[in-house]
C-alpha cells in the first residue's frame, strides 16, 4: 500500500508541474505579440540610434559614412548642448521638487476634507487629463505680450510695471516654463500621496496625539515615514518627466528666443528633423539616455536607502 501511495503522490506532483509549465507557456504566448511589438517599435530603433550616432546620417538619404566619436566630441564642445543641459537640469530637478512639495501639501489638505471630497479631488486631478500640448497652447495665448489675459489683468489692476513679454524674455523664459510644467503635472502625484495618506493606520496617529504630539510632530514621526514609498515613486517619475520635457518648449517658444529655452529633448528633435543632422542628434539622444539612466538609478538608490532608515 505504501508503494502505491508514493506512486500516486509522485504522479500527482508531476501533473502539478506539467500544469504549471503549461500555464507559463500560455502566459508567454499571450504576451508574445506585445513583446514582438515592443522590440520592433522601441528596442530595435533604440539600438539603431546607437549605430547612427557614429555616422554623419542626415535623416533622408540612404547613404552615410561612419565618423567614429566625432559627433560626441562636437556635442561635448557645443555651448548650445550645455545650455540645453542646464535648462533640462533646472526644469527636471526643479519641477520634481516643486511638484512633490505642492502635491504633498494638497494631498494633506484633501485628506482632511470631510465634505465634497470627491469634487475637490476631481478638480485637483483635472489638469492631468488635458494634454501638455493643449495646456501649452492655452497658456501661449494667455501670456501673449500684446493681447494676453495675464498682461490685461495686470494692467487693469494697476500693475502695468509687471506686464511683460513673458515668452520673449531670455532671462525669464525658463522660469515661465518651470511654472507651467508644475501647473500641469501635479495631479497624478497628488492622488498617489492621497492614497498613501489614507492607508496610514489611524491607531498610530491617535496614539501619538494621546502622548501629546502636535500636528507637526505627528506628521514628522508618524505620517512622513509611512509616505517613504510614495515619495520614492513620485520623485523618480517627476524627475524622469522633467528630463524629457518637449511639448511645452515646442508650443510656447520653439526653443527661443534663439536657442535659449532649448531642453535636451527639444535639442535632439531640432537637430534630427530641423537641421537634418540625424547622426549628430542620435549621439545627443544616447547621451540623454545615459543621463536619465544614471540619475534614475542614483535617485532610486538614495530614496530606497532612506526608506530603510525610516
Amino acid at each position: 500500500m505504501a508503494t502505491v501511495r508514493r506512486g500516486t503522490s509522485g504522479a500527482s506532483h508531476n501533473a502539478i508541474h506539467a500544469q504549471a509549465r503549461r500555464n507559463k507557456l500560455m502566459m508567454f504566448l499571450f504576451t508574445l505579440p506585445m513583446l514582438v511589438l515592443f522590440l520592433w517599435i522601441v528596442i530595435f530603433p533604440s539600438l539603431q540610434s546607437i549605430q547612427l550616432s557614429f555616422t554623419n546620417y542626415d535623416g533622408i538619404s540612404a547613404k552615410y559614412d561612419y565618423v567614429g566619436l566625432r559627433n560626441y566630441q562636437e556635442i561635448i564642445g557645443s555651448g548650445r548642448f550645455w545650455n540645453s543641459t542646464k535648462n533640462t537640469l533646472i526644469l527636471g530637478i526643479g519641477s520634481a521638487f516643486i511638484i512633490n512639495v505642492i502635491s504633498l501639501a494638497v494631498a494633506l489638505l484633501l485628506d482632511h476634507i470631510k465634505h465634497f471630497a470627491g469634487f475637490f479631488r476631481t478638480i485637483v486631478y483635472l489638469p492631468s487629463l488635458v494634454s501638455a500640448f493643449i495646456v501649452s497652447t492655452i497658456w501661449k495665448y494667455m501670456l501673449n505680450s500684446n493681447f494676453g489675459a495675464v498682461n490685461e489683468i495686470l494692467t487693469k489692476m494697476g500693475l502695468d510695471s509687471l506686464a511683460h513679454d513673458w515668452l520673449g524674455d531670455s532671462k525669464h523664459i525658463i522660469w515661465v516654463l518651470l511654472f507651467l510644467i508644475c501647473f500641469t503635472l501635479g495631479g497624478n502625484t497628488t492622488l498617489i500621496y492621497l492614497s498613501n495618506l489614507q492607508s496610514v493606520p489611524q491607531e498610530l496617529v491617535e496614539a501619538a496625539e494621546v502622548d501629546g504630539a502636535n500636528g507637526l510632530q505627528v506628521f514628522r514621526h508618524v505620517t512622513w515615514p509611512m509616505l517613504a514609498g510614495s515619495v520614492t515613486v513620485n520623485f523618480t517619475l517627476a524627475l524622469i518627466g522633467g528630463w524629457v520635457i518637449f511639448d511645452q518648449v515646442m508650443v510656447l517658444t520653439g526653443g527661443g528666443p534663439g536657442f535659449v529655452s532649448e531642453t535636451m529633448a527639444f535639442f535632439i528633435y531640432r537637430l534630427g528633423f530641423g537641421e537634418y543632422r540625424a547622426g549628430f542628434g542620435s549621439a545627443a539622444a544616447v547621451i540623454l539616455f545615459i543621463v536619465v539612466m544614471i540619475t534614475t538609478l542614483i535617485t532610486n538608490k538614495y530614496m530606497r536607502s532612506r526608506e530603510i532608515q525610516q
Side-chain angles (χ1 to χ4, degrees), residues 76-96:
I76 297 301
S78 169
R80 184 178 165 191
F81 166 76
W82 289 112
N83 177 70
S84 67
T85 302
K86 179 196 71 174
N87 292 339
T88 303
L89 288 172
I90 293 173
L91 296 178
I93 298 175
S95 63

Side-chain angles (χ1 to χ4, degrees), residues 17-259:
H17 272 283
Q19 183 63 39
R21 285 195 295 269
R22 284 195 293 270
N23 290 340
K24 290 180 180 179
L25 178 60
M26 289 299 296
M27 288 189 288
F28 175 75
L29 291 176
F30 275 118
T31 58
L32 184 59
M34 195 62 207
L35 177 61
V36 172
L37 190 64
F38 181 76
L39 289 172
W40 184 257
I41 295 177
V42 179
I43 301 301
F44 291 154
S46 299
L47 294 175
Q48 189 176 30
S49 293
I50 297 175
Q51 175 200 354
L52 293 176
S53 69
F54 298 102
T55 71
N56 61 357
Y57 181 51
D58 60 7
I60 299 177
S61 62
K63 296 182 179 180
Y64 50 82
D65 298 317
Y66 285 89
V67 296
L69 296 174
R70 192 172 72 189
N71 288 333
Y72 291 95
Q73 292 170 346
E74 186 176 347
I75 286 175
I76 297 301
S78 169
R80 184 178 165 191
F81 166 76
W82 289 112
N83 177 70
S84 67
T85 302
K86 179 196 71 174
N87 292 339
T88 303
L89 288 172
I90 293 173
L91 296 178
I93 298 175
S95 63
F97 274 107
I98 295 172
I99 287 173
N100 275 274
V101 170
I102 294 177
S103 296
L104 179 56
V106 173
L108 287 168
L109 290 174
L110 291 175
D111 190 45
H112 287 85
I113 291 177
K114 303 302 180 184
H115 303 290
F116 305 106
F119 170 76
F120 288 110
R121 291 171 191 173
T122 303
I123 293 298
V124 169
Y125 186 68
L126 275 179
S128 298
L129 298 177
V130 185
S131 73
F133 183 89
I134 294 175
V135 173
S136 300
T137 302
I138 295 171
W139 276 103
K140 184 175 183 179
Y141 286 100
M142 292 180 64
L143 294 172
N144 186 281
S145 59
N146 296 318
F147 55 81
V150 173
N151 282 348
E152 287 287 337
I153 292 173
L154 291 174
T155 301
K156 290 181 179 180
M157 292 176 62
L159 301 172
D160 306 59
S161 59
L162 297 180
H164 201 67
D165 183 8
W166 301 101
L167 301 178
D169 189 337
S170 59
K171 294 182 179 179
H172 297 95
I173 184 60
I174 198 67
W175 307 110
V176 173
L177 290 172
L178 180 60
F179 166 77
L180 297 182
I181 291 165
C182 295
F183 176 81
T184 56
L185 297 182
N188 291 326
T189 309
T190 301
L191 289 188
I192 292 174
Y193 278 131
L194 182 59
S195 63
N196 204 168
L197 281 170
Q198 293 180 340
S199 67
V200 174
Q202 288 302 307
E203 297 81 2
L204 296 178
V205 175
E206 293 171 359
E209 291 174 346
V210 169
D211 289 340
N214 56 35
L216 184 60
Q217 290 171 329
V218 170
F219 175 78
R220 171 65 184 87
H221 297 288
V222 178
T223 307
W224 179 245
M226 294 286 182
L227 294 175
S230 59
V231 172
T232 299
V233 171
N234 282 333
F235 193 86
T236 302
L237 292 177
L239 191 61
I240 294 174
W243 285 156
V244 294
I245 288 168
F246 175 82
D247 293 1
Q248 294 88 342
V249 178
M250 178 70 180
V251 174
L252 291 167
T253 68
F259 304 121

